[in-house]
Structure formats: structure tokens, C-alpha cells
Amino acid sequence: MNTRPQRRNDVPPGAEPVEFLRLMWRTRLFEEFSMRLKKEGAVLGNTYPCLGQEALGVAALALAAGDAVFPSYRSRAIVFGKGATVEQHFREMIGAPEAEQGGREVFHHAAFPGIGVMPSSSMIGGWAPTAAGYALTQQMERSGTVTVCVIGDGSLGAGDLHEALNIAGTWKLPFVLMVENNGYQVSAAWSQVRAQKALAPYVAPYGFVTRPVDGNNAFDVFHSMAWARAEALAGRPAMLDCETYRMGGYSSHFGEPRSGIEGELAAWRARDPIAFVEDWLERHGGMARREIAAVRAAEAQAIAAAWEKAKREAPRRAGDARR
Amino acid sequence: MNTRPQRRNDVPPGAEPVEFLRLMWRTRLFEEFSMRLKKEGAVLGNTYPCLGQEALGVAALALAAGDAVFPSYRSRAIVFGKGATVEQHFREMIGAPEAEQGGREVFHHAAFPGIGVMPSSSMIGGWAPTAAGYALTQQMERSGTVTVCVIGDGSLGAGDLHEALNIAGTWKLPFVLMVENNGYQVSAAWSQVRAQKALAPYVAPYGFVTRPVDGNNAFDVFHSMAWARAEALAGRPAMLDCETYRMGGYSSHFGEPRSGIEGELAAWRARDPIAFVEDWLERHGGMARREIAAVRAAEAQAIAAAWEKAKREAPRRAGDARR
Amino acid sequence: MGADPAVTYKDAIARALREAMAADPRVFVLGQDVGKFSIGGVTKGLIEEFGAARVRDCPISESAMVGIGAGAAMNGYTAVIEIAYADILAVAFSSIVHSAAKLNYATNGQLRCPLIVRAPINRFSRHGPMGTEVTLSWFMNVPDLDIAMPADAAEAYWLLRHAFARPVPTIFLEDRSLNASSGPLGAKPKAPGRARTLRPGRDAVVIAAGRMAALARDAADAMAASKTPADVRVLSLGRVKPLDREAILEAARAAGRVLVVQEEPPLGGYGPAIQSLLDTLPASALKRQPALLARPETFLPYNREEDVLPSAETIAAALRELLA
Amino acid sequence: MGADPAVTYKDAIARALREAMAADPRVFVLGQDVGKFSIGGVTKGLIEEFGAARVRDCPISESAMVGIGAGAAMNGYTAVIEIAYADILAVAFSSIVHSAAKLNYATNGQLRCPLIVRAPINRFSRHGPMGTEVTLSWFMNVPDLDIAMPADAAEAYWLLRHAFARPVPTIFLEDRSLNASSGPLGAKPKAPGRARTLRPGRDAVVIAAGRMAALARDAADAMAASKTPADVRVLSLGRVKPLDREAILEAARAAGRVLVVQEEPPLGGYGPAIQSLLDTLPASALKRQPALLARPETFLPYNREEDVLPSAETIAAALRELLA
Ligand SMILES: Cc1ncc(C[n+]2csc(CCOP(=O)(O)OP(=O)(O)O)c2C)c(N)n1
Ligand SMILES: Cc1ncc(C[n+]2csc(CCOP(=O)(O)OP(=O)(O)O)c2C)c(N)n1
Ligand SMILES: [Mg+2]
Ligand SMILES: [Mg+2]
């Protein structure tokens, strides 16, 4: 795992763009699949799809195994990137007793501590302090590992976030704040809830080095996380302000709450993170369109198979007290 | 009351430097008097003296009667500046039923809403949201008044402060944040609890105009508040980062908790805010030393008289369950 | 007067809110997604009718939102704060208890704090242990705080209206799972805020609030219709705080057998508070020791929370035992 | 074994903390003014002995401090968090309930959350309604959370030691007004965390925790020595949560008359929880209805809070009534 800073857009040793693509397709297809499951009533849990934000997951590929990630509820990509499987996710969604959380916590807050996927919280901002606490223990043990705290931009409003960042900055913790800055907090555009879109100006004074990241460019995401990790290990807590866009509804239980976003959607559709990597692979990666398409097909097949397996192995029918 | 911005260090119309001096002596002598009362067991409440920070009180003289102040617990000066009397304070300290708070809330959190002195909170940072709420109602009524929220620099750690500032900035409330930036949080020097001493960098991103203020220079304080008030009324929430120093213990119930501060004390003693105004009055204000000394003497006499009166009028003996 | 048409629980809340805003320009709404997109539906249309100054979408800053409400109260305004779901009251706890509830006391009556915090109980929404809780226990013993937990549309409507007339903060624990239930609103209660008999009965009384009161009525109805019928009264608290001591004592004396049902664990909430109150009765006043049906001391899972919560069936079983 | 010298309440806490830090390098302290200047005195000397990495002065960020403790627990560390006074627990409420207490449940046992929040009760320090509160009620009904309220030095010492062995967060409500009280620490209790009989007696039992248990002992001693003597047992809960149901039921049965005393108002806390528990006894088990002595539903003033709090005198009076 290469963690030294790289020139942006370089392909670093040890990370193959085709891996980026695999992870991104896995993420997108999983989100679509699970939205369908929810719609059909096959699963209980709501989903908070990260459609359009899939490139953020490759940040995980710039991390070491011992690094911890405290994801947001919309961080499917980075959770897959850390090694959680689609099948594990399905088991959680079914609420099976065999699932790691045993049907207790919702799947989008599921923790898999063995692979460094740590618990989130239903309280927006609430996992920034716990992430800082984990980073503190990494610092105390001189473990050479970092903690990544992933938040949506709406977290800027939450006092807990500020308390944690001030401490992380003052104590120079091996802490990386990664912001999924999609410019919306459910229906509220960023300008309704804060004075400026970028979060870096708010975070830098706490003692963070910050970097704006094209969140729809997997290369930028990867290199930026490698940079951030190295900075954090060197005693400079780092912040990645990843600009991206949510290409769909807030969750499976609300329709699209935003209105008048057609223009934004069109502009961001042109910046599709998967198409970007596919183009790169075709132009610079020596891959044929057919090979590229096979990546998607393989992920789709694996997801379908994982669902079948999860269903079989976790046969307990989901309860629903309302019906 | 002049509220338009002025050149700094000008004496504005409507505010006499001799008034500054009166207010500052009242504050200092009151603090010393009440520390003595506490030591002698004559009053129950602890005191949190603002010795050395007396110049901050003249900010009140740049405010209109309808402006509200949410003070910190160390804001005796601005509370006097808004018109609360020494006698009222003594009644609170005795915990007399005749006192406005009726012996319920401690005197350093006493509210006198009729003159715009609003409640503080024992939760550091907790009065920033209430101050923002008050400012919101001023904005809704187009009242042409502002709310001043006074905090110590230790409040930077509190999540509530950040939540309130983000909202005040986003909503462009008629809100002035005034920071008593004395560089200490009880025993902790600022560098132990945050990455930089000035608070302006943290506050500006929320949508505030900010200004560094020499908190030991009454003229700077006065003009800066006039500026801040005008800014806030024009839809630009403002922040005054008043650098000052606490020339004594944190409170009457702890000895001086800081160590190794002799150098700091000496440096700041040379910047005594009262001596500064006295010198100015002698050099530029056409006052004789004798006249200047009379200001102090009058305040001292008024305080002693107020204590006698408060004692007489609020005869109920303070209870003390421990003895 | 004409007919009294059925109104849903959710519409009843929306109506009371709308009426309060229409009546007093100093009533305003704070929340997330309360404006153009009304996430829970209760604030729908308010921004069009009353404008964006009075229906304010906020950052994720619940502590500040409640603090803002307390500050606004100091200047004569009444904020209605919509919390996304009741569990989130935790992050606003200090603002509720210290800034809002204590305002009147600490200022010795100089300032009052009317303020309404609408915190929907999200149970059955599949949000897991941090998104489905009832949260009444956290606040039950805080003085100068009202708590409402309406069981049906009429209670929801009249209790919310009443909250606007109160000089203290109200935590309004509406229950999303009751949103679609409906009934007539009825006439204005003579003594608003008092406990209500949902169903008369002489053999025993169930005392409960919110969804548990609604389930208790189902249980009592079923028992009345069963082969070995029992005649069980259901007393719905509606406003849990102040606790309607008088109504509780009267009902207990009249029936002689008391079952209290709550969804929270047994170490707090209205259940033990009512049992404590009943201990002030002479031992001879009741035929049996009062019983409490509560969930075990555990959090709520996102799957099968119904397994640990009281149901009409377990209520009926507890009643049978009480009547045995 | 030698003598068992008297130790003050405060020193007992300091000693248990020091021993835990010496025994386990992964125990560390977070607080304000816990380092070179130890504001409450309990952490005095720790920074010299264990270094600044393990004794950390923090910004005014109690919510984050508790959250940091929960995050550290995920990696096998145990944080001891000193809160300036118990009222301030309000700002850390969400971190305590959601981040810490629910960790084990939500992760289905994958992660545990040992964590100690030391929150001194500041009553009689003249800090007014936001600086003198007991705050037990806020947490009483939260699952997977321990609460300790030691009544004397021995309880303080053994309960704090015990807290380090617990897989859940502990709220340690030490009472500053007891700091100077002293007594021997005694031998390690066979069953740590169980309720303790401070004083035997057959006519009635007072059940209480913390300072109220200490006052109850004074009251019972006085009654034993009075002209019309009564023989009153005092059961000190020590650890209020988990509630020692067994000891409470045993004591209630043995004495037949129960008085519960608490400083908080009567709608929450251990008082009603104990009364609720006693309702599971058959009516014949007790000679009288259990009684609760609590403060009225009001906040605490900075002047004369003793006027509204139970005292040895009002405890004795309540006992006389119970024995009448
Ligand atoms: C403290 C708190 N307040 C409110 C909510 C309800 N809520 C859940 S997600 C969300 C919006 C979050 O927006 P953002 O952080 O930008 O994430 P995004 O959905 O854009 O990925 C809100 C308001 C919550 N979970 N926690
Ligand atoms: C939320 C909270 N945490 C801790 C305290 C205890 N406390 C009271 S004042 C204080 C220090 C405040 O420092 P600062 O704001 O810089 O004010 P200064 O004393 O320097 O004027 C602390 C930690 C408190 N009152 N509230
Ligand atoms: Mg967002
Ligand atoms: Mg300071």
C-alpha cells in the first residue's frame, strides 16, 4: 500500500485503476439492487444510496489495513473499499440474527471492526468524537495508523463535529476528515445552512491541513487520501473536502426532496465518476470496451449471487409490526 | 448614542472618556470589594473577577438602550455599562429575596432584562444560542437593535457556540460576538486547548466580519463596538476579538491556578486599562490628576454606601447549610 | 355546530400548528426540512402561507435550535421546533433542561419560556437503537417542563393548542406510527391537559400514554368481547407532565386494580412515577398491588422491536393476571 | 493485615484512580484542569506520575470528551472523564447515551464500552440552579449504563475500582460535600457493586444513595438514641444502577416498612424505581405502604437549597410517620 503523496492523477503503484472501477460498479450496482429490494419489500432497512458518489470509495485503497474508517451513512463505497462484502451487507439488511449486528443496528451504520469499519451514529456529527478517540489511541500506541472520519457536508452544523475537530487539531492526532461535500442536507441546499460551500475554511483553523478534492475523480480521491494519510501520520491532521453530487433521492423512504435541480443533475451527469474511469482505462489503461464491460457484468453477477446466498443462509423472515 | 463607525481612538460624540474611567473604576473597585466580602464570609456567591479586563465594559456605551447583552460570567464591566447598579449586585450576592433573582441564580448570571442584561448560563457556550434567538426576534421585528453575546475564549471548545455562530452568520442576524480573549481557560493556556490564540479565524468563515481589538484600550473597545453594531445592523454579523488579560485568580474559590505567569503579569500590568485612560485624560482631556483621583474616590464611596444600603434593605441572613 | 369529521393524527397536529401561527405572528417554526419539502408532512404549506421568516430550515444544530427558541421566548416569541425524531432530543438536552426549562426559575419569574419541541417517536420506522426510542424518561423528572404524548387525533390537537398557552417549554412526543389513525377532534376540553378516559370500565384501569394507551383500548375492547369478559377502563394521560395526580388517584380508587403500561424500560418514565403516587393511598384503597408492564431493560433493535414492546396481547395477559 | 486507617472520600477516589492507572497503561484521564492544576484535587500528582499523554487537559468540549472515551474504548482503552460538575453531563448527554451506552448493543457485542464519567455533585457550592443538581434521573432508565453514587469513602473506593472492571460506561456521581468525610476502606467486598447495610435495624429500613444515605444513618442513629427509640436499618445503594433488586426486596421484607429518600424531585430517580419494584411483592409483605421523601418539583437555588432538600430531621420525621 503506497501512502506517500503522489502527483495527482498518477496511477500509483499498488493501486490499479481497474480496481477503482470494480469497487465503483460494486457500489453503484449494490445501491440499485438494494433500492429494488426495499421497494419490493424484501428487506426492512432503508437505504441511503450514494449514487454519483462512488469514487469516494477508492480512498479506502490508499489506506493500510490497520487504519480505521468511521463512515457516514452514505459511505457504502468506502466500506466496500475497506473489505466489507456485499453479502455481509445483505445479511444486515435482512436483519438476520447471523448478521454481525444481529438485526440490531441498521445496515448503513453497521460496524465491522475486524477490517477497520467502525460504528457510525444516527446523530449526525456524533461519530467525529469517537473517531478522534480512536485516533488518540493510535497516537498513544505509535501504531503508524490513522483514523478516517467520513462526514456529509450537513455535519458542519453539528456542535459535536467542531468539538472533535478542535481537539484533533490541537492534539495533532493521526486523523483524516473526509467530507462527502454534495452540497445538500436532505432538501436544503448548502446556502441555506451555511455561509460557504467549501468546508475547508471552517476546518483549517482547528489546525488541519486541507485539500479540495474532485470527488468524482477516483484518481484525485486516491492520491489525496494517500497525501492526507501521510500528513496525519506526520502530526498534521488532514481534511479532504471532496466535492461531489448525490445523483438521486436522499433515501429509499423519501422521494427526491429537492426541486429545480434538473440543471445540476445534468451538469453532474456529465461528470459521472464511473464513466470517467472507464474512459481513462480505454484511453490510457490499454483495456478494450469489452473488457471494461465485463467488470460491470462480473459485479452484477456477484451481487445477485450474494443476495441468493444471504437469503438462503439467513432465512429468518423479517418482522414488520405494522402489518 | 452614537452608533456609526468612528475612526479608532477618536473620542466619539456622546461618549466622554471620563465616563469610561468611571465605569472602569466602578468595575475594579466592585470586584475588589466583593472579593473582600466573600473572604470575610459576608456573602455566599463566588466571584469571578474581571480585574484587568475593565475596559471591555465601555462597549456598552456604544450600544443603544434597546440592544441586548448576553454577558459571560466575567462581564461585570459591560453589565455595569448597561446600567445595572452596584447595589443590585450586592442584593444578588446576599441572595436576598428582594433581589431580582430572589436568591435563585448566582449574581454573575443575574439577568436584568429591563435594561437589556440577559441571562447567561452555567454551561459555557450555552448562551450563544439564546443570544442568537434574541437577535432573530430583533431581525424579525426590524427593531434596529442588536444583540451582543459576550464569551470568554474558552468557549471556543463548546459545540453550542459553533452551532449558534453558523446560524447567526447564515441568517445574517443583528448579532455581535464579543470575545474576552484573555488567553486562559482556568489553568489552561490557550495553546493547550486550541491551535491559535485569535478566535477571529474560527468565526469569520461562519459569515462574520471580524476585528481584532486591543481589549485594554477603552477607546478601541468603544469604537470597535460602534463599528460592530453598525455592521450587524447592516446584515453583517460582527465579531470583536478583544485581547486582554486576567490580572488575578479565576475565581474567589480557587487560588491562582496558573503557574509561571510572572512575566505575563508584568507585561500586562504595563498595559493597565485604567492607567491608560487616566493618562489620556491628563494629557489630552484637560483633567488634573486631582480631578482624576476624585473619580476613583467617588466610585469607592458609592460602592461602600451601596453595600451598607443593600445590607440594610436585604436583611435576611445568608444560609449556609455546611456549617 | 354541524358534524365533527374525522381528522388524522398528523392533520390534527398540522391544524393546531397552523391555527397558532395564524393567531399570533410571533409563533414561528424551526426545523430541518420543514419548508418547501416538509419531511414529516406536518409543516406542509406553512412556508407558502406564513413566509420563510417564520418557517425556517436549519442546519443540523438541534442544541442551538432549542437555545434559539429560548432566546426568542425572552422577547415574547414562541418557537415550534421540529426535531427529526425523538432520539435526537439527546443532542439538545442541555438547551432543553438548562436554557429553556430553568429560565423562569433562574430569573425568578422575570422571563418565561413558552417553547414547543415537537419530537416524533420514530418506532417501527426501522431506524435502529438510535432512531426509534421513546425518550420520555430522560425528561420525566425535570421541573418546569411539560411533556405531551398524545394517543389519538383529539389529544394531539388539543394538547398542542394547549401547549401554546403554557408559560413553560413543552416536549411534544407525537408518535409517527399513529399518524394515519383518525377520529373527531371533539369540543374544546373544559380542563385542557387533563387525563382522559378513553374507555370506561369497572374491574380494572389501565393507565398509559400515547401508543400504549391506544393499544390498551384495543386490549380492553377485546377483553370486553371475549368469552370471559372483563370491564376495563383505559385512562390516557395525554399530557404526561404535569402528571394528572387527581385523575390517577380517582381512577385507581374507583377500579381498585391498576395496570400501568409503558414502552420504555421499567426504571423511569411515567410508570414508576405513577406507582410512587399510588403508594400515597392507604394500602386498603387497592385490591391488588399496581402492576407495571414495560419493556425489558434493553434498547430497541431495528428488526423485530415488537418482540420487546408491550402489545395488545401482553396488555390483555397482564390484565388477566391482575384480575385473577 | 495491620490497621485499616481512615481515608477521606476524596482520597479514596484518588487512590482507586491512581491504582487503576498504575495497573493498566491503557487507562487515561480527560478533563478540564486535571493536570498541573487539579481543580478538584482528585487528579493531583497523576500528571507527574503518568505523564501528559495520560492526563489530558481538554477544551470545554464535554460531549467530545465522552465521545473520545467511547472511541478509545473501541481500541481497548478506558478513559476516565472528569466533568467539572454533574449538571454539565447535560451537554454530553448524547455522547453518553448514544455513543457510549449503546455501543455494545448496537454492534451486537462486537465492541464494548468501558468508560468512567466522574461527575461531582456540586450541591452547597453556591453555584445555583445549573451548578448544584444531582442529575441521576436523566440516566436512570438508560440500559447498559452503570451509575454509582457513593455514600462514604469505602463505597467510593470500591465502586470506582469496580467500575474499571465493568464492560459498560459508569456515571460516577461523587458528592463534593462528602469530600472531607472519612472512614476505613475495609476489605474488598465479596460482591462488589451490591447494596450495603450502613446500619442494622428491625423496625424500618431507609433506602437511599450518596449523601442521602449518609444523612439517613445520622437520622437513624439519632432515633436509636432518642427517648422513644426506634431501630432503623439503612441500606445504601452505592451503585444505583444496576439496581440491587435482591437486596432491596430482602430489606423490605425483613423490615416491613420502607422509606426511600432522594434529593431529586419525586418523578424519577431511584425512588420511584424502588417503589415500582416493591409493588412486585404481595401486598401482605409490607406493614405499610412504602414512602418516598424527595424534594419538591423545583430546581435548586444558590441560596438556602437546604430548605428544599431532605435533611436528617425530615428523614427522622418521615420515619416517625412510617412507624406510627
Ligand atoms: C443530530 C441529527 N439531526 C438530524 C438528523 C436527521 N438527518 C439525517 S441525515 C440528514 C442530512 C445530512 O446531510 P449531509 O450530512 O449533507 O449528508 P448527505 O445526505 O448529503 O450525504 C439529517 C438532517 C440526524 N440524523 N441527526
Ligand atoms: C460546559 C462547561 N464546561 C465546563 C465548565 C467549567 N468552567 C467554568 S468557567 C471555565 C473556563 C472558561 O474559560 P474562558 O471562557 O476563557 O473564560 P475566562 O475565565 O478566561 O474569563 C470552565 C472550564 C462550565 N461552566 N461549562
Ligand atoms: Mg450533503
Ligand atoms: Mg479566558
Side-chain angles (χ1 to χ4, degrees):
Chain A
M1 192 68 43
N2 179 0
T3 54
R4 270 162 310 142
Q6 301 281 339
R7 220 161 21 94
R8 293 162 73 168
N9 274 5
D10 252 3
V11 182
E16 290 295 329
V18 67
E19 290 302 326
F20 297 179
L21 187 63
R22 236 172 238 136
L23 180 58
M24 291 164 74
W25 271 124
R26 184 175 315 150
T27 306
R28 181 169 299 178
L29 295 170
F30 171 82
E31 297 291 37
E32 290 171 353
F33 197 97
S34 56
M35 283 161 75
R36 216 158 43 233
L37 289 177
K38 175 72 186 177
K39 208 165 178 185
E40 292 165 359
V43 295
L44 278 175
N46 304 306
T47 76
Y48 298 78
C50 66
L51 298 176
Q53 305 185 182
E54 298 89 350
L56 300 178
V58 307
L61 306 180
L63 296 175
D67 294 337
V69 174
F70 286 71
S72 97
Y73 61 95
R74 205 182 294 288
S75 306
R76 244 7 62 204
I78 202 165
V79 171
F80 284 145
K82 278 294 280 179
T85 67
V86 168
E87 201 187 315
Q88 280 175 309
H89 274 75
F90 283 141
R91 276 206 297 265
E92 299 294 345
M93 291 175 81
I94 291 175
E98 298 79 8
E100 264 91 344
Q101 333 300 314
R104 290 174 165 187
E105 186 50 285
V106 292
F107 91 94
H108 56 275
H109 291 158
F112 308 103
I115 55 169
V117 175
M118 305 307 292
S120 191
S121 166
S122 295
M123 301 299 113
I124 295 287
W127 61 97
T130 49
Y134 201 90
L136 173 62
T137 63
Q138 292 173 318
Q139 183 188 61
M140 292 206 272
E141 332 197 287
R142 298 190 173 76
S143 64
T145 55
V146 304
T147 294
V148 179
C149 177
V150 188
I151 60 166
D153 56 321
S155 304
L156 195 266
D160 274 354
L161 177 74
H162 297 272
E163 294 194 356
L165 296 182
N166 182 46
I167 291 176
T170 305
W171 293 355
K172 302 181 193 304
L173 299 183
F175 183 91
V176 177
L177 181 72
M178 179 175 180
V179 182
E180 304 169 330
N181 196 339
N182 61 18
Y184 280 91
Q185 172 196 304
V186 194
S187 69
W190 67 264
S191 57
Q192 282 183 274
V193 290
R194 62 182 186 268
Q196 45 199 321
K197 185 172 185 197
L199 294 204
Y202 302 94
V203 176
Y206 293 124
F208 278 63
V209 294
T210 67
R211 176 150 154 169
V213 179
D214 177 352
N216 283 28
N217 176 336
F219 300 104
D220 196 10
V221 171
F222 179 85
H223 291 294
S224 295
M225 182 54 87
W227 168 83
R229 183 178 194 277
E231 289 290 309
L233 282 178
R236 291 180 292 274
M239 186 262 197
L240 301 178
D241 200 350
C242 304
E243 200 180 21
T244 184
Y245 196 81
R246 163 159 66 75
M247 297 298 293
Y250 161 80
S251 74
S252 56
H253 58 305
F254 300 121
E256 174 56 74
R258 300 170 293 187
S259 52
I261 57 165
E262 297 73 16
E264 285 178 2
L265 276 172
W268 282 92
R269 199 165 293 120
R271 291 174 64 180
D272 183 79
I274 293 187
F276 179 83
V277 172
E278 290 192 336
D279 284 354
W280 190 94
L281 284 170
E282 195 179 355
R283 279 189 226 176
H284 310 291
M287 272 177 90
R289 269 284 150 195
R290 188 184 31 81
E291 292 172 288
I292 292 170
V295 170
R296 177 192 175 142
E299 289 300 325
Q301 204 180 5
I303 288 169
W307 171 243
E308 290 308 317
K309 184 144 177 278
K311 265 203 308 194
R312 260 198 323 276
E313 291 190 1
R316 180 172 154 185
R317 183 68 189 97
D320 189 345
R322 279 160 127 179
R323 271 166 282 177
Chain B
M1 192 67 45
N2 179 0
T3 55
R4 271 162 309 140
Q6 300 280 341
R7 216 156 31 88
R8 293 163 74 170
N9 274 5
D10 252 3
V11 182
E16 291 295 328
V18 66
E19 290 302 325
F20 298 178
L21 187 64
R22 237 172 237 135
L23 180 58
M24 290 163 75
W25 271 125
R26 184 174 315 149
T27 306
R28 180 169 298 178
L29 295 171
F30 171 83
E31 296 291 37
E32 289 170 353
F33 198 97
S34 56
M35 284 161 75
R36 215 158 45 233
L37 289 177
K38 175 71 186 177
K39 208 166 178 183
E40 293 165 358
V43 295
L44 275 175
N46 303 307
T47 76
Y48 298 78
C50 66
L51 298 176
Q53 304 184 182
E54 297 90 350
L56 300 178
V58 306
L61 306 180
L63 296 174
D67 295 336
V69 174
F70 287 71
S72 96
Y73 61 95
R74 205 182 294 287
S75 305
R76 246 4 64 204
I78 201 164
V79 171
F80 284 144
K82 279 293 282 179
T85 67
V86 168
E87 201 187 316
Q88 279 175 309
H89 275 75
F90 283 140
R91 276 207 297 266
E92 300 294 346
M93 291 174 81
I94 292 174
E98 298 79 8
E100 265 90 345
Q101 334 298 315
R104 290 174 164 187
E105 187 50 285
V106 292
F107 92 94
H108 55 275
H109 292 157
F112 308 103
I115 54 169
V117 175
M118 306 306 293
S120 191
S121 167
S122 296
M123 301 299 112
I124 295 287
W127 61 99
T130 49
Y134 201 89
L136 174 61
T137 62
Q138 292 173 318
Q139 183 186 62
M140 292 205 272
E141 330 197 289
R142 297 190 172 76
S143 64
T145 55
V146 304
T147 294
V148 178
C149 177
V150 187
I151 59 167
D153 56 321
S155 304
L156 194 266
D160 274 354
L161 177 75
H162 296 272
E163 294 194 356
L165 295 182
N166 182 47
I167 291 176
T170 305
W171 293 355
K172 303 181 192 305
L173 299 182
F175 183 92
V176 177
L177 182 72
M178 179 174 180
V179 182
E180 303 170 330
N181 195 341
N182 60 18
Y184 280 90
Q185 171 197 304
V186 194
S187 69
W190 67 264
S191 57
Q192 282 183 274
V193 290
R194 61 184 188 267
Q196 46 200 317
K197 185 173 186 197
L199 294 204
Y202 302 93
V203 175
Y206 293 124
F208 277 63
V209 294
T210 66
R211 176 151 154 169
V213 178
D214 177 352
N216 283 28
N217 176 335
F219 300 104
D220 195 9
V221 170
F222 179 85
H223 290 294
S224 295
M225 182 54 88
W227 167 84
R229 184 178 194 277
E231 289 290 308
L233 281 178
R236 291 181 293 275
M239 186 262 197
L240 301 178
D241 199 351
C242 305
E243 201 181 21
T244 185
Y245 196 81
R246 162 160 67 74
M247 297 299 293
Y250 160 80
S251 74
S252 56
H253 56 307
F254 300 121
E256 173 58 75
R258 300 170 293 187
S259 52
I261 56 164
E262 297 73 16
E264 285 179 3
L265 276 173
W268 283 92
R269 199 164 293 120
R271 292 173 64 180
D272 183 79
I274 293 187
F276 179 83
V277 173
E278 290 192 337
D279 284 354
W280 190 95
L281 285 169
E282 193 178 358
R283 281 190 224 175
H284 311 292
M287 272 177 90
R289 269 283 150 196
R290 187 183 31 79
E291 293 171 288
I292 292 170
V295 170
R296 175 192 176 142
E299 289 300 327
Q301 204 180 5
I303 287 169
W307 171 243
E308 291 308 317
K309 182 141 178 278
K311 265 202 308 193
R312 260 199 322 278
E313 292 191 359
R316 180 172 154 183
R317 183 68 190 99
D320 189 346
R322 278 159 127 182
R323 272 165 283 176
Chain C
M1 286 289 290
D4 188 2
V7 174
T8 66
Y9 186 88
K10 178 159 120 180
D11 288 346
I13 297 168
R15 185 186 292 192
L17 176 55
R18 217 198 123 274
E19 287 170 357
M21 292 187 78
D24 183 351
R26 294 191 296 182
V27 172
F28 66 104
V29 171
L30 299 173
Q32 289 125 14
D33 306 289
V34 291
K36 262 191 290 178
F37 173 63
S38 168
I39 204 164
V42 168
T43 60
K44 206 167 165 174
L46 293 182
I47 194 166
E48 288 78 11
E49 188 168 352
F50 300 108
R54 291 177 64 199
V55 183
R56 308 183 78 99
D57 277 327
C58 295
I60 300 174
S61 310
E62 287 80 6
S63 184
M65 285 153 59
V66 174
I68 284 171
M74 295 178 196
N75 206 14
Y77 284 69
T78 302
V80 181
I81 295 148
E82 179 174 303
I83 302 285
Y85 42 89
D87 312 66
I88 296 176
L89 290 170
V91 303
F93 191 82
S94 179
S95 291
I96 294 169
V97 173
H98 291 313
S99 300
K102 291 184 181 169
L103 181 61
N104 181 40
Y105 179 88
T107 64
N108 200 22
Q110 294 182 94
L111 295 168
R112 308 195 144 195
C113 198
L115 172 74
I116 297 166
V117 183
R118 288 184 41 237
I121 298 169
N122 218 22
R123 189 198 339 76
F124 300 142
S125 73
R126 306 302 173 196
H127 277 84
M130 297 185 219
T132 44
E133 195 47 87
V134 174
T135 77
L136 168 72
S137 298
W138 302 346
F139 300 102
M140 188 69 201
N141 207 20
V142 177
D144 292 358
L145 190 67
D146 279 13
I147 306 179
M149 245 175 115
D152 61 22
E155 276 184 14
Y157 177 77
W158 293 110
L159 286 175
L160 185 50
R161 282 193 57 134
H162 185 50
F164 283 100
R166 296 279 298 162
V168 298
T170 296
I171 311 236
F172 198 81
L173 292 169
E174 60 199 63
D175 193 321
R176 285 220 169 106
S177 74
L178 299 175
N179 264 352
S181 69
S182 70
L185 300 186
K188 180 172 179 177
K190 264 170 249 126
R194 299 292 308 272
R196 256 169 91 222
T197 296
L198 292 189
R199 190 191 182 289
R202 275 168 314 175
D203 299 339
V205 61
V206 185
I207 307 178
R211 183 172 161 268
M212 288 298 105
L215 284 193
R217 179 169 43 188
D218 296 348
D221 286 348
M223 286 175 80
S226 80
K227 266 182 273 174
T228 51
D231 186 26
V232 174
R233 178 173 173 186
V234 176
L235 187 71
S236 171
L237 295 172
R239 194 171 64 169
V240 176
K241 233 172 93 71
L243 196 59
D244 191 343
R245 292 180 163 85
E246 210 183 311
I248 291 167
L249 292 173
E250 178 278 317
R253 277 181 191 279
R257 296 173 202 261
V258 181
L259 173 68
V260 188
V261 185
Q262 70 178 20
E263 288 186 292
E264 289 186 280
L267 292 176
Y270 56 79
I274 289 171
Q275 288 176 286
S276 172
L277 174 66
L278 294 178
D279 277 348
T280 62
L281 289 175
S284 57
L286 299 186
K287 300 188 190 94
R288 287 285 298 272
Q289 297 280 68
L292 173 64
L293 179 64
R295 88 165 189 257
E297 274 188 79
T298 177
F299 296 112
L300 288 175
Y302 94 84
N303 189 11
R304 306 194 71 85
E305 64 251 70
E306 60 276 19
D307 289 358
V308 292
L309 291 172
S311 64
E313 289 72 37
T314 58
I315 295 171
L319 278 168
R320 293 268 174 226
E321 200 174 310
L322 192 69
L323 292 165
Chain D
M1 286 289 290
D4 187 1
V7 174
T8 66
Y9 186 88
K10 179 159 119 178
D11 288 345
I13 297 168
R15 185 186 291 192
L17 175 55
R18 218 197 123 274
E19 287 170 357
M21 292 186 79
D24 183 351
R26 294 190 297 181
V27 172
F28 66 104
V29 172
L30 299 174
Q32 289 125 15
D33 306 288
V34 292
K36 262 191 290 179
F37 173 63
S38 168
I39 204 165
V42 169
T43 59
K44 207 166 166 177
L46 294 182
I47 195 166
E48 286 79 10
E49 187 167 353
F50 300 109
R54 291 176 65 198
V55 183
R56 307 184 78 98
D57 276 327
C58 294
I60 300 174
S61 310
E62 287 80 6
S63 184
M65 284 153 59
V66 174
I68 284 172
M74 295 178 197
N75 206 15
Y77 284 68
T78 301
V80 181
I81 296 148
E82 178 173 304
I83 302 285
Y85 42 89
D87 312 65
I88 295 177
L89 290 171
V91 303
F93 191 83
S94 179
S95 291
I96 293 169
V97 173
H98 290 314
S99 301
K102 290 185 181 167
L103 181 61
N104 180 38
Y105 180 89
T107 63
N108 199 21
Q110 294 182 93
L111 296 168
R112 307 195 147 195
C113 199
L115 171 74
I116 297 167
V117 183
R118 288 183 42 237
I121 298 169
N122 218 22
R123 189 199 339 75
F124 300 141
S125 73
R126 307 301 172 195
H127 276 84
M130 297 185 219
T132 43
E133 194 46 88
V134 175
T135 77
L136 168 73
S137 298
W138 302 345
F139 300 102
M140 187 70 200
N141 207 20
V142 177
D144 293 357
L145 191 67
D146 280 12
I147 306 179
M149 245 174 115
D152 60 23
E155 277 183 15
Y157 178 76
W158 293 111
L159 286 175
L160 185 50
R161 281 192 58 132
H162 185 52
F164 283 101
R166 296 279 298 163
V168 299
T170 296
I171 312 237
F172 198 81
L173 292 169
E174 59 199 64
D175 193 322
R176 286 219 169 106
S177 74
L178 299 175
N179 265 351
S181 68
S182 69
L185 300 186
K188 181 172 177 176
K190 266 173 246 123
R194 300 292 308 273
R196 255 168 91 221
T197 296
L198 291 190
R199 190 191 182 290
R202 274 169 314 175
D203 299 340
V205 61
V206 185
I207 306 179
R211 183 172 161 268
M212 287 299 105
L215 284 194
R217 180 171 40 189
D218 296 348
D221 286 347
M223 286 176 80
S226 80
K227 265 183 276 175
T228 50
D231 186 26
V232 174
R233 177 173 173 186
V234 176
L235 187 71
S236 170
L237 295 171
R239 194 171 64 170
V240 175
K241 232 172 94 72
L243 197 59
D244 191 343
R245 292 181 164 85
E246 210 182 310
I248 292 167
L249 291 173
E250 177 278 319
R253 277 179 190 280
R257 297 173 202 262
V258 180
L259 172 69
V260 189
V261 184
Q262 70 178 19
E263 288 185 293
E264 288 186 280
L267 293 175
Y270 57 79
I274 289 170
Q275 289 176 287
S276 172
L277 174 65
L278 295 178
D279 276 348
T280 62
L281 290 175
S284 58
L286 299 187
K287 299 189 190 96
R288 286 284 299 271
Q289 298 279 69
L292 173 64
L293 178 64
R295 87 165 188 255
E297 275 188 79
T298 178
F299 296 112
L300 289 175
Y302 95 84
N303 189 9
R304 306 195 71 86
E305 63 251 73
E306 60 276 19
D307 288 358
V308 292
L309 292 172
S311 63
E313 290 71 37
T314 59
I315 294 172
L319 278 168
R320 293 267 176 229
E321 200 175 308
L322 191 70
L323 291 165

